[in-house]
Amino acid sequence: MKRFANLKRLGFFTRLLDEAPPAERYRFAAEQIVRAEKAGLDSAWIAQHHFHEREGGLPSPFTFLGYVAAQTSRIRLGTGIVTLPLENAVRVAEDAAVLDLICNGRFELGVGTGGNPSAFAAFGLDSTQRNEIFARNLAIVRAALTGKVLEGGDTLYPLRPQLDGRIWQATFSVAGGARAGKAGDGLLLSRTQPRTKDAPKAMLAEIQNPIIDAYLEALPPGCEPRIMASRSVFVADDHAEAMRLADIGLRRALPQFMKGGHLPPGETLEEMITAFDTHVGAVDDVIASLRTDATLERVTDLVFQAHSVDAPHPYVLRSIELVAERVAPALGWVRTAATDGHQRVARG
């Protein structure tokens, strides 16, 4: 029975894609994070997306996490990710610092180059320059958080230098893995990892293990690795019910999936489950499926999401419970006390 020895923390992730109006999406997502805390999960992560509600329903992550912080007390709250090239870097540092103080040091700052090309145009930016803008903005965020003098002579208020040790970088590339490692940041790996034209059906592990290799090789001596993998996981009490909901959700998500440049997955549900890199079924089905993902043998953090099944809200709440109570413990995750060592180190 394979157990993932490096797995230290378990999290829940949402892009706020419930089939509901915006206000309901935000209420549902908050309830899901509250349920995740009650189930003992270590972290909850939300994504930022501008304009495209089928890709993500939240343009203002700091506002939303402030709302969630008021309803929780233990679970760590993270951005997965802030689309940093589309943001004012000083404002990101200010919002992150205030949020971290409000939630008593529970915030994790995940950033990435992200963003649809049309979103860059709306912000008056060139999407082909996203990497350069990202690097420049990240340097400003880091300088601001640690109290360095900014252009014009001002320094950030409130200061929050602790957050410099809680930055995570998302990437799809080996070069990005090396960049995150060199900085001593955490590494965020996505279940939406694109395939190349040369290997359109490559397994996630085939693409992501080289990224992890580059990250670990670049990591400064003595710096503890932080490697998070986000995976699509939906668990139901009954296998047939899980498959019924997966069939509805994946077929609904198929047009957006194809729009993202993916190959047609085939007509059967099994083909779609494989194409979407989804782990779905009853408890034993999902445990067995996750054990086939070799990337997970190397991660410190496993974060699961209900996308692209996107079952109705009550089923997502139940899936969170089943992952925490039965799936994750079988893989090696151990539920910690309310204030574990990781949280104590992060506070300040």
Side-chain angles (χ1 to χ4, degrees):
M1 299 279 285
K2 180 185 291 186
R3 293 169 66 87
F4 302 131
N6 293 321
L7 181 59
K8 297 179 176 66
R9 292 170 293 271
L10 180 70
F12 171 72
F13 171 80
T14 179
R15 289 190 286 144
L16 291 84
L17 291 175
D18 295 273
E19 289 292 308
E24 286 290 277
R25 282 187 174 190
Y26 300 151
R27 182 175 68 82
F28 288 161
E31 289 179 3
Q32 289 160 12
I33 293 172
V34 169
R35 182 65 57 90
E37 178 172 83
K38 290 180 179 178
L41 270 65
D42 302 293
S43 65
W45 299 73
I46 52 92
Q48 178 187 42
H49 283 86
H50 294 285
F51 309 121
H52 308 103
E53 67 273 12
R54 296 302 303 179
E55 296 180 22
L58 182 67
S60 304
F62 295 106
T63 302
F64 177 75
L65 286 180
Y67 169 67
V68 172
Q71 301 178 57
T72 56
S73 61
R74 180 195 60 81
I75 196 166
R76 304 197 65 74
L77 304 173
T79 51
I81 56 167
V82 171
T83 51
L84 196 54
L86 300 183
E87 303 300 315
N88 180 285
V90 176
R91 290 291 295 122
V92 169
E94 289 178 331
D95 284 346
V98 171
L99 176 59
D100 196 49
L101 285 166
I102 287 173
C103 71
N104 196 24
R106 290 188 283 138
F107 180 54
E108 305 279 335
L109 178 57
V111 295
T113 59
N116 190 294
S118 64
F120 277 78
F123 279 84
L125 299 170
D126 183 351
S127 66
T128 64
Q129 297 178 359
R130 67 178 64 203
N131 290 324
E132 293 85 349
I133 302 170
F134 172 83
R136 182 169 64 248
N137 282 0
L138 182 56
I140 294 171
V141 168
R142 207 184 295 276
L145 289 172
T146 55
K148 293 181 180 177
V149 177
L150 302 173
E151 187 175 346
D154 287 321
T155 55
L156 194 72
Y157 178 84
L159 281 179
R160 203 60 176 162
Q162 300 93 325
L163 273 172
D164 185 40
R166 283 183 261 141
I167 293 174
W168 300 71
Q169 294 191 39
T171 186
F172 288 142
S173 71
V174 169
R179 180 189 64 211
K182 184 178 180 181
D185 294 336
L187 175 67
L188 296 177
L189 300 172
S190 173
R191 62 104 190 178
T192 58
Q193 177 83 41
R195 271 59 168 180
T196 65
K197 292 182 179 179
D198 296 334
K201 295 186 178 181
M203 302 290 288
L204 277 177
E206 295 177 70
I207 306 171
Q208 293 186 338
N209 272 325
I211 300 174
I212 294 175
D213 291 338
Y215 170 78
L216 293 173
E217 185 175 348
L219 203 65
C223 187
E224 183 178 351
R226 290 178 290 138
I227 304 170
M228 178 181 296
S230 175
R231 293 296 184 260
S232 183
V233 176
F234 177 71
V235 193
D237 289 291
D238 177 75
H239 174 84
E241 184 75 340
M243 293 299 109
R244 182 184 71 82
L245 293 168
D247 191 71
I248 295 170
L250 295 181
R251 293 189 190 280
R252 183 174 59 220
L254 192 56
Q256 192 66 37
F257 180 79
M258 300 291 293
K259 186 179 176 182
H262 295 275
L263 292 175
E267 291 296 321
T268 70
L269 175 58
E270 290 73 19
E271 288 172 317
M272 286 193 292
I273 288 172
T274 299
F276 276 87
D277 293 301
T278 299
H279 305 274
V280 59
V283 169
D284 289 343
D285 304 318
V286 173
I287 291 171
S289 180
L290 285 167
R291 282 180 172 145
T292 66
D293 188 339
T295 309
L296 302 185
E297 299 175 21
R298 308 179 70 188
V299 305
T300 58
D301 296 68
L302 171 60
V303 175
F304 64 93
Q305 54 186 288
H307 316 309
S308 291
V309 173
D310 291 313
H313 178 56
Y315 290 94
V316 175
L317 294 177
R318 180 56 177 155
S319 181
I320 291 168
E321 293 175 341
L322 290 170
V323 171
E325 294 169 4
R326 300 182 60 187
V327 174
L331 301 175
W333 174 68
V334 177
R335 178 172 175 166
T336 57
T339 52
D340 62 10
H342 177 68
Q343 187 167 353
R344 287 197 298 271
V345 170
R347 285 186 178 182

